[in-house]
Amino acid sequence: MSVHQFSAKLITGEDKPLADYEGNVLLIVNTATQCGFTPQLEGLEKLHQTYQDEGFSVLGFPCNQFGNQEPGTNEEVAETCSMEYGVNFPLFEKIDVNGEDAHPLYQYLTSEAKGVFSGKIKWNFTKFLVDRDGKVVERFAPTTKPEKIEEHVKELL
């Protein structure tokens, strides 16, 4: 298995097979626009811009499962991310990352890289680093800033 076997809907509604990212290093993040960690969107975008020409992409998956910190529509989420944080990396439709309705991609990610106490996502901005083959290499806590992940990204590129 790999992340390339999944697909998800972009925030604009189109289906996006993750196989389209085959050969790329990915940082998959569950995001929220009303969270204390939301300013990380700027750092994530900087990472995306810095390394996208080398085959790297950040993939953002908005989620409203933690403290109702992503209550808006997909359109509102896209506008906030773009206008307030300059996000150009791919954003997907809001999903669940935990529970019975968790998106299959997140079921896979959490089974491959369990958190400190379980496979569950504890909060917004949990990050999964994925290699060019679609394998989960590392999981980073919400408190880990994008700048701290840069060296790990460079190693995989």
Side-chain angles (χ1 to χ4, degrees):
M1 294 259 326
S2 80
V3 300
H4 301 139
Q5 294 172 278
F6 298 93
S7 65
K9 285 192 182 293
L10 290 167
I11 205 155
T12 51
E14 308 98 71
D15 281 321
K16 180 71 169 171
L18 296 189
D20 289 355
Y21 297 103
E22 210 165 316
N24 289 331
V25 173
L26 302 173
L27 188 64
I28 300 174
V29 186
N30 62 303
T31 63
T33 57
Q34 297 180 19
C35 175
F37 298 125
T38 302
Q40 287 187 21
L41 288 170
E42 292 173 348
L44 292 167
E45 179 60 26
K46 183 178 179 195
L47 261 184
H48 179 77
Q49 291 295 329
T50 301
Y51 297 105
Q52 69 178 346
D53 290 343
E54 296 177 48
F56 171 75
S57 188
V58 172
L59 304 182
F61 286 85
C63 177
N64 194 38
Q65 286 189 290
F66 307 100
N68 197 35
Q69 295 181 344
E70 192 60 277
T73 65
N74 285 313
E75 294 78 18
E76 291 167 335
V77 170
E79 185 175 333
T80 299
C81 287
S82 174
M83 301 301 285
E84 292 185 30
Y85 298 97
V87 168
N88 285 309
F89 59 77
L91 286 172
F92 292 80
E93 287 187 347
K94 284 171 49 172
I95 62 165
D96 283 353
V97 297
N98 286 331
E100 287 182 20
D101 295 327
H103 191 283
L105 172 64
Y106 268 81
Q107 292 176 21
Y108 171 72
L109 291 171
T110 56
S111 72
E112 291 295 299
K114 298 201 182 305
V116 176
F117 300 109
S118 73
K120 285 186 175 181
I121 303 291
K122 296 293 186 204
W123 203 254
N124 302 308
F125 290 90
T126 298
K127 302 158 196 80
F128 293 88
L129 187 60
V130 177
D131 70 13
R132 293 183 186 272
D133 295 323
K135 303 291 183 203
V136 179
V137 174
E138 199 159 348
R139 176 176 174 159
F140 298 94
T143 53
T144 305
K145 294 183 178 174
E147 307 83 74
K148 299 286 185 192
I149 300 172
E150 185 170 10
E151 285 303 314
H152 300 272
V153 169
K154 286 170 34 176
E155 286 174 18
L156 292 177
L157 291 172

